[in-house]
Amino acid sequence: VVPVGRPLHFRITSASVFNAFFVPRLGSMVYAMNGMVSQLNLQADKPGRYLGISAHFSGDGFPDMRFDPVAVPSGQFASWTAGVKGAPLDRAAVNQLLKQSRAVKPYAYKGVDPTLFDAIAAQKLPPGEGPRSEGVP
């Protein structure tokens, strides 16, 4: 969920495989690579639901690697952020995200460990396991 009319600045990296982050109707695509930080600026000028995709094949489950950013007016965004429940995005949560999975429901985190992104980008955390063939342990 993002606010309408507010510039969004993303810093993007990967904890394992090469990938791409793309929201076609909001702007350009940028690559995500292990050990590298890319930056992307986007802005939603109108409320709505937009298509977001992983635009680089990265193994089993690739067709499910999509997300739907929702742009809402500022007041609705403030209400949404105040109502977010759940755990913070910390190292324990990242360890769960690094496990192979498919078609996971969207989830919002209540806050973020401020050291987490830089630790992932500097490869201070172990990388994700990367793609593997279905049924192979």
Side-chain angles (χ1 to χ4, degrees):
V1 177
V2 300
V4 169
R6 191 176 309 165
L8 305 169
H9 177 79
F10 293 90
R11 291 180 9 180
I12 298 170
T13 191
S14 172
S16 65
V17 299
F18 177 87
N19 217 310
F21 178 91
F22 190 27
V23 184
R25 290 186 54 208
L26 298 186
S28 189
M29 174 182 72
V30 70
Y31 293 109
M33 293 180 242
N34 188 258
M36 183 182 126
V37 175
S38 299
Q39 297 190 44
L40 179 66
N41 294 295
L42 301 176
Q43 181 171 314
D45 292 324
K46 297 183 206 173
R49 181 175 298 272
Y50 297 87
L51 169 66
I53 57 174
S54 164
H56 192 276
F57 181 77
S58 56
D60 289 335
F62 172 74
D64 297 324
M65 292 178 63
R66 52 168 282 149
F67 55 99
D68 296 315
V70 179
V72 297
S74 293
Q76 190 176 343
F77 178 74
S79 295
W80 178 83
T81 57
V84 171
K85 295 177 177 25
L89 182 58
D90 56 16
R91 289 174 191 236
V94 166
N95 286 336
Q96 291 301 309
L97 291 171
L98 291 174
K99 294 179 180 176
Q100 294 286 313
S101 63
R102 289 186 72 173
V104 177
K105 291 182 181 180
Y107 183 82
Y109 292 92
K110 183 78 172 179
V112 169
D113 172 346
T115 67
L116 188 59
F117 182 87
D118 290 332
I120 293 168
Q123 299 177 318
K124 293 180 180 174
L125 296 177
E129 56 192 34
R132 66 172 188 252
S133 297
E134 188 125 350
V136 175

